[in-house]
């Protein structure tokens, strides 16, 4: 589903990704871990097409299509979803309005029947409940005055409504208390299916107690240094990253 | 494509009301002197007192100088290059009803989405259509008269309701109030007159639709609305003009009188031709709008300004009576080379008077957008309250937003609050929308509409929809 081959990318002229390889098949859950500044956020930003991130080598294919040739909205239409680390506020635009615009555009591009207002509202309310958000949230401005946890749950709600093929979660666990973490994990787990794939980018093993990955990768200095099963995350929790990056002495 | 490039593309949309109608006109040659003033007055068969009133205004105007304090730039204006009167020829004998109006005129308004045939009209809205210097038709007059409501061209009101006109004309904006008001007082040609009797709630929305067609013509309309004790009226105003290379002058005066307990809601969607992308052509819009609020009365100005090369207007409320309420809600969008210097004045004279100012300025392209507001609390305005909020939204990095709030409080019991913010449609907001499948044009439109929401909710329903669409087109662009 996602094939990243020898991917190189720069931000503001500086090379951050230096030949990254990753292959994700339908039904799989991958966790990408790594120290600060290793290129984790750059990877999700490159995949979702944010301005300022330039691919300088290699390729990233989503279901065989070169992502570099798709605009961000076209990637969304193709079934790619990014849950943001820091979701921004859009004052005065209600969540419902935002969801309506998003679902209208996406369903249209995917050749699906549009939802009428009643259907949209019913789905939106049900999904709110799924992530423990009061349906009143639908009337409030997008992320306007939301707490950190509410913003993250809002991202998960959008994801559940859009039902993407591939979900990229960028440090969705950061800033969450344990209750919110469980709510988010439940939402993500409900999306797991043989047709879908999930890529979790995270600092901590904690999230992986609730969303159990099939594969864990260590990203450092713009490359995948090591890949393994879920037990790799536990090892990282105990030993840190130093033993992999060769900076053990310095960081000890 | 970078989001800046997207924005730039969005901001360059076309002006849809820019066509010229082929209508034969009686147009006065350019130039202004006492004879021109006399000609206009005579053309309208005005009584002697009004001619004297005009001449007095003209003399005051001659002694005045062009105001230079606004945050706008334009080449010097030559008031002798403007024609001060233009009327469609077919109006010379005066149509007795809408059936006699030149079909080309009716088509012009239809093209603009303003059908003047009553049966085709939106139920519940009466329209006065002003074409260049004259009113070409007013709908639903008979129905309104049943409720005692007078809604007619001011040129007719002068003949039919001389006492009312004489009593209130210039009572809110005196002839010598300012340079452009003095000019208007001397040469005003037409406009709307509204009178709502005591205790009457006007049964429908009233609206005037202004259209400038003739080249090198100034439009100087004068609107006078009197709401008698305890009455209510909602009034809408819309404006367009053809695309022309030279600048055209529009200097209107609007006077509102809200007698004790009356309420006037005045909404404007201004979409005069703004000039092209290089700043060539467009309307110079110098407008004086003011209302006087007596005891327990309320005046509410709501404006959506997307047009004109230059906008210079400050709809104001004089809160003369106790417990009077004044409101100003404004969205001003500028793009390309447009310049806007707009805001309001709230003059608190009575006790317990309250005012609210919500101003939203959106600047795109290489435009300049300034809010200028005055809140004045007089010594006897015990417990006066004002709340002001000015928000500016920038699209791109070539435009400017400025806020000039003036506060003069001479009563220690008064409370005046002012909040101001400036923000940009951020790349992050745009990216969030796009990564949810929303195309950039729709995204910008949605973000700007969200920014304007507090003002749009003050507009009557149909107008709010129209205003939203207008922003969308203006932002096509740039916003929605």
């Amino acid at each position: 589903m996602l094939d990243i081959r020898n991917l190189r990318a720069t931000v503001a002229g500086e090379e951050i990704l230096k030949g990254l390889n990753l292959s994700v098949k339908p039904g799989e859950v991958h966790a990408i871990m790594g120290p600060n500044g290793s290129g984790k956020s750059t990877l999700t930003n490159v995949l979702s097409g944010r301005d300022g991130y330039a691919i300088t080598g290699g390729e990233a294919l989503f279901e065989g299509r070169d992502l570099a040739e798709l605009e961000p909205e076209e990637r969304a239409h193709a079934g790619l979803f990014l849950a943001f680390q820091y979701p921004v506020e859009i004052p005065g635009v209600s969540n419902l309005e935002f969801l309506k615009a998003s679902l209208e555009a996406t369903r249209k591009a995917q050749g699906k029947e549009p939802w009428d207002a009643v259907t949209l509202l019913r789905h939106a309310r049900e999904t709110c409940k799924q992530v423990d958000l009061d349906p009143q949230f639908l009337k409030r401005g997008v992320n306007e005055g939301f707490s950190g946890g509410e913003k993250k749950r809002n991202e998960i709600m959008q994801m559940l409504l859009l039902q993407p093929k591939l979900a990229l979660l960028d440090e969705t666990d950061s800033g969450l208390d344990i209750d919110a973490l469980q709510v988010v994990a439940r939402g993500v787990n409900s999306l797991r299916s043989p047709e879908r794939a999930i890529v979790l980018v995270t600092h901590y093993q904690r999230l992986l107690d609730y969303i159990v990955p099939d594969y864990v990768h260590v990203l450092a200095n713009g490359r995948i240094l090591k890949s393994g099963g879920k037990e790799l995350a536990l090892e990282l929790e105990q030993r840190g990253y130093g033993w992999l990056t060769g900076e053990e002495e310095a960081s000890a | 494509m970078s989001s800046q490039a997207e924005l730039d593309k969005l901001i360059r949309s076309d002006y849809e009301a820019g066509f010229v109608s082929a209508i034969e006109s009686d147009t006065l040659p350019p130039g202004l002197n006492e004879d021109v003033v006399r000609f206009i007055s005579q053309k309208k068969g005005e009584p002697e007192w009004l001619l004297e009133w005009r001449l007095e205004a003209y003399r005051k105007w001659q002694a005045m100088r062009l105001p230079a304090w606004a945050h706008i730039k334009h080449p010097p204006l030559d008031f002798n290059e403007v024609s001060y009167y233009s009327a469609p020829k077919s109006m010379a004998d005066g149509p007795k009803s809408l059936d006699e109006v030149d079909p080309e005129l009716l088509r012009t308004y239809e093209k603009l989405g303003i059908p003047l045939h009553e049966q085709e009209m939106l139920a519940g809205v009466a329209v006065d259509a002003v074409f260049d210097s004259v009113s070409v038709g007013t709908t639903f007059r008979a129905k309104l008269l049943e409720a005692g409501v007078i809604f007619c061209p001011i040129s007719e009101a002068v003949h039919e309701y001389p006492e009312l006109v004489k009593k209130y004309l210039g009572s809110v904006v005196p002839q010598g109030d300012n340079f452009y008001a003095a000019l208007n007082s001397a040469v005003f040609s037409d406009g709307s007159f509204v009178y709502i009797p005591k205790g009457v709630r006007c049964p429908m929305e009233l609206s005037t639709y202004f259209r400038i067609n003739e080249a090198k013509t100034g439009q100087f309309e004068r609107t006078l609305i009197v709401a008698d004790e305890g009455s209510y009226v909602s009034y809408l105003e819309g404006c367009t003009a053809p695309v022309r290379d030279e600048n055209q002058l529009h200097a209107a005066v609007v006077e509102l009188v809200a007698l004790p307990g009356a309420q006037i809601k005045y909404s404007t969607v201004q979409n005069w031709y703004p000039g092209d992308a290089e700043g060539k052509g467009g309307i110079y819009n110098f407008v004086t709008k003011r209302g006087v609020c007596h005891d327990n009365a309320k005046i509410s100005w709501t404006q959506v300004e997307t047009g004109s090369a230059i906008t210079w207007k400050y709809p104001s409320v004089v809160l003369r009576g106790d417990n009077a309420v004044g409101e100003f809600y404004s969205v001003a969008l500028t793009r390309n080379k447009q310049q806007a210097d707009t805001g309001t004045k709230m003059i608190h004279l009575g006790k317990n008077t309250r005012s609210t100012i919500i101003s939203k300025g959106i600047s795109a392209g290489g435009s300049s957008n300034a809010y200028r507001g005055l809140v004045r609390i007089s010594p006897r305005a015990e417990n006066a309250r004002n709340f002001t909020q000015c928000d500016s939204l920038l699209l791109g990095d070539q435009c400017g937003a400025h806020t000039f709030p003036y506060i003069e409080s001479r009563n220690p019991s008064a409370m005046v609050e002012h909040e101001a913010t400036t923000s940009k449609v951020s790349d992050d907001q745009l990216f969030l929308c796009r990564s949810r499948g929303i195309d950039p044009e729709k995204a910008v439109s949605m973000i700007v509409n969200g920014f304007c929401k507090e003002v749009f909710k003050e507009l009557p329903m149909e107008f709010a929809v129209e205003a939203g669409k207008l922003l969308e087109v203006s932002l096509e662009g740039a916003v929605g």
Side-chain angles (χ1 to χ4, degrees):
Chain A
M1 175 178 276
L2 178 66
D3 292 292
I4 303 178
R5 293 176 198 145
N6 201 24
L7 187 67
R8 289 173 177 273
T10 56
V11 182
E14 192 189 345
E15 186 167 71
I16 306 289
L17 298 184
K18 302 169 182 173
L20 188 143
N21 291 289
L22 182 68
S23 176
V24 178
K25 296 193 176 61
E28 295 177 349
V29 174
H30 291 243
I32 296 178
M33 305 182 72
N36 284 329
S38 58
K40 299 193 300 291
S41 287
T42 300
L43 176 61
T44 54
N45 282 323
V46 166
L47 293 179
S48 50
R50 189 191 281 263
D51 264 351
Y53 292 80
I55 294 179
T56 49
E59 58 184 3
L61 304 177
F62 178 60
E63 295 194 314
R65 296 169 78 182
D66 187 355
L67 283 178
E69 285 175 9
L70 301 178
E71 295 289 345
E73 58 271 24
E74 292 170 330
R75 303 182 198 206
H77 299 159
L80 190 72
F81 182 92
L82 170 65
F84 286 83
Q85 184 178 4
Y86 303 111
V88 289
E89 302 191 359
I90 308 182
V93 177
S94 76
N95 269 305
L96 193 62
E97 237 174 293
F98 181 75
L99 290 171
K100 181 170 177 277
S102 166
L103 284 158
E104 240 169 38
T106 308
R107 293 184 68 88
K108 188 177 173 201
Q110 294 174 347
K112 292 181 189 163
E113 282 288 298
W115 281 347
D116 59 35
V118 179
T119 311
L120 171 70
L121 193 60
R122 182 163 50 79
H123 281 288
R125 282 191 176 141
E126 281 167 8
T127 315
C128 272
K129 279 191 203 134
Q130 232 180 313
V131 293
D132 262 3
L133 280 176
D134 189 316
Q136 288 298 319
F137 266 78
L138 294 170
K139 292 185 191 160
R140 288 174 50 184
V142 175
N143 295 319
E144 205 180 349
F146 286 22
S147 72
E150 286 165 346
K151 286 182 183 174
K152 296 295 175 73
R153 280 184 277 161
N154 199 28
E155 293 291 290
I156 300 303
M157 177 176 78
Q158 291 166 19
M159 180 182 79
L160 293 176
L161 276 169
L162 285 164
Q163 295 280 305
K165 290 179 186 162
L166 174 65
L168 304 169
L169 284 78
D170 190 2
E171 307 215 10
T172 299
D173 52 334
S174 67
L176 291 186
D177 62 31
I178 200 75
D179 292 337
L181 189 67
Q182 289 181 1
V183 169
V184 164
R186 206 165 59 218
V188 174
N189 284 328
S190 76
L191 199 71
R192 287 180 90 149
S193 81
E195 309 84 54
R196 292 181 217 289
I198 295 164
V199 175
L200 307 165
V201 171
T202 181
H203 256 314
Y204 302 107
Q205 134 76 19
R206 193 174 69 145
L207 177 68
L208 307 182
D209 287 340
Y210 300 99
I211 308 171
V212 180
D214 302 301
Y215 302 95
V216 174
H217 310 275
V218 179
L219 177 61
N221 198 21
R223 284 195 199 97
I224 302 285
L225 279 192
K226 191 173 174 63
S227 299
K230 60 181 184 251
E231 62 291 341
L232 178 58
L234 291 168
E235 195 175 355
L236 291 168
E237 179 88 342
Q238 284 167 5
R239 299 182 61 187
Y241 296 110
W243 61 285
L244 287 169
T245 57
E247 291 161 8
E248 194 162 20
E249 310 277 311
S251 63
Chain B
M1 193 187 299
S2 77
S3 52
Q4 183 57 49
E6 293 281 356
L7 281 177
D8 289 348
K9 189 185 75 184
L10 290 178
I11 290 159
R12 267 182 257 114
S13 69
D14 292 332
Y15 182 73
E16 292 190 343
F19 59 90
V20 177
S21 302
I23 286 174
E24 271 194 277
S25 295
D26 273 332
T27 303
L28 209 58
L32 182 55
N33 51 49
E34 280 205 17
D35 290 341
V36 169
V37 177
R38 286 176 198 280
F39 172 88
I40 294 169
S41 185
Q42 188 204 359
K43 194 92 183 162
K44 304 206 161 271
E46 284 174 356
E48 190 62 23
W49 69 265
L50 192 49
L51 174 61
E52 284 309 315
W53 193 85
R54 285 177 181 275
L55 290 171
E56 197 185 321
Y58 176 69
R59 286 165 203 142
K60 285 183 175 170
W61 177 73
Q62 279 187 306
M64 295 172 97
R65 300 181 63 153
L66 209 65
W69 43 263
H71 194 82
I72 51 176
K73 281 188 200 136
H74 55 77
L77 298 175
D78 184 346
F79 290 91
N80 281 319
E81 277 187 357
V82 178
S83 164
Y84 289 85
Y85 186 83
S86 173
K89 260 199 178 131
S90 58
M91 302 299 291
D93 304 319
K96 302 293 172 289
S97 76
L98 285 168
D99 300 336
E100 294 178 28
V101 172
D102 183 339
E104 183 61 28
L105 264 175
L106 292 177
R107 271 195 293 279
T108 299
Y109 282 91
E110 264 160 36
K111 245 165 123 173
L112 295 165
I114 320 281
L116 292 178
H117 294 294
E118 294 188 1
Q119 63 271 25
E120 291 169 11
M121 300 251 342
L122 281 171
V125 182
V127 176
D128 184 20
V130 177
F131 194 85
D132 289 339
S133 298
V134 295
S135 169
V136 294
T138 311
T139 61
F140 290 113
R141 284 173 64 171
K143 188 166 177 214
L144 287 166
L145 264 178
E146 284 170 28
V149 172
I150 301 168
F151 179 38
C152 67
I154 199 161
S155 53
E156 272 183 54
V158 167
H159 297 289
E160 290 176 33
Y161 313 98
E163 314 76 31
L164 282 173
V165 176
K166 204 169 174 180
K167 182 170 176 188
Y168 291 107
L169 187 72
S171 70
V172 185
V173 180
Q175 294 134 298
D177 186 81
N178 67 66
F179 184 86
Y180 296 106
L183 178 62
N184 174 286
S185 300
V187 302
F188 77 88
S189 41
D190 220 334
S192 302
F193 174 76
V194 175
Y195 173 78
I196 317 290
K198 268 185 201 176
V200 169
R201 192 180 166 87
C202 187
M204 58 179 80
E205 309 263 4
L206 304 184
S207 92
T208 298
Y209 197 88
F210 295 102
R211 173 78 177 168
I212 298 177
N213 188 56
E214 197 63 24
K216 291 187 187 293
T217 307
Q219 182 151 328
F220 306 92
E221 80 273 1
R222 186 134 193 144
T223 298
L224 174 59
I225 299 177
V226 180
D228 213 327
E229 290 176 32
S231 66
Y232 169 87
V233 63
S234 170
Y235 184 89
L236 321 170
E237 175 194 70
C239 333
T240 56
V243 170
R244 292 190 187 282
D245 283 347
E246 73 272 19
N247 298 108
Q248 285 179 283
L249 183 62
H250 176 250
V253 170
V254 176
E255 296 181 280
L256 308 184
V257 180
L259 292 169
Q263 282 190 39
I264 301 176
K265 188 175 169 59
Y266 194 105
S267 313
T268 303
V269 172
Q270 186 262 107
N271 183 26
W272 295 119
Y273 176 56
D276 67 11
E278 275 70 51
K280 197 164 190 215
I283 302 289
Y284 286 170
N285 194 31
F286 299 100
V287 174
T288 306
K289 291 180 165 178
R290 194 178 303 151
V292 168
C293 255
H294 292 267
D295 288 353
N296 303 306
K298 176 176 170 181
I299 288 179
S300 180
W301 297 103
T302 306
Q303 58 171 21
V304 176
E305 305 273 320
T306 64
S308 298
I310 293 177
T311 300
W312 179 97
K313 75 182 254 205
Y314 315 90
S316 306
V317 184
V318 179
L319 300 156
R320 179 174 292 163
D322 294 345
N323 310 310
V325 176
E327 295 173 337
F328 174 75
Y329 300 97
S330 169
V331 167
L333 167 79
T334 53
R335 59 192 175 118
N336 295 333
K337 303 286 179 195
Q338 278 178 278
Q339 307 174 63
D341 192 303
T342 182
T344 184
K345 287 190 275 189
M346 292 290 173
I347 311 296
H348 293 253
L349 301 177
K351 297 183 181 66
N352 303 315
T353 45
R354 282 173 290 144
S355 63
T356 304
I357 299 170
I358 308 281
S359 163
K360 305 277 185 178
I362 302 151
S363 335
S367 68
S368 160
N369 202 329
Y371 166 81
R372 186 183 303 277
L374 169 67
V375 176
R376 177 180 290 155
I377 315 277
S378 79
R380 68 172 197 86
E382 290 290 322
N383 294 315
R385 297 280 178 271
N386 163 264
F387 174 75
T388 300
Q389 183 187 328
C390 299
D391 299 322
S392 308
L393 186 68
L394 304 175
L395 304 176
D397 51 12
Q398 304 293 310
C399 49
H402 313 271
T403 304
F404 305 99
Y406 305 88
I407 298 168
E408 299 170 10
S409 182
R410 296 203 175 81
N411 185 309
S413 66
M415 271 177 59
V416 179
E417 290 176 72
H418 180 91
E419 290 177 9
T421 65
T422 300
S423 51
K424 280 188 75 169
V425 169
S426 71
D427 289 349
D428 287 349
Q429 287 174 329
L430 213 49
F431 183 59
L432 171 62
C433 293
R434 295 183 70 184
S435 64
R436 295 298 174 260
I438 303 165
D439 70 66
E441 193 156 319
K442 170 78 183 164
V444 172
S445 148
M446 204 168 63
I447 293 166
V448 174
N449 252 312
F451 176 75
C452 300
K453 187 166 275 177
E454 282 163 284
V455 174
F456 283 177
K457 73 176 173 19
E458 296 297 327
L459 288 171
M461 183 73 100
E462 299 89 14
F463 241 35
V465 173
E466 192 182 322
K469 279 192 201 140
L470 184 57
L471 276 193
E472 209 154 318
V473 169
S474 300
L475 287 170
E476 235 164 48
V479 178

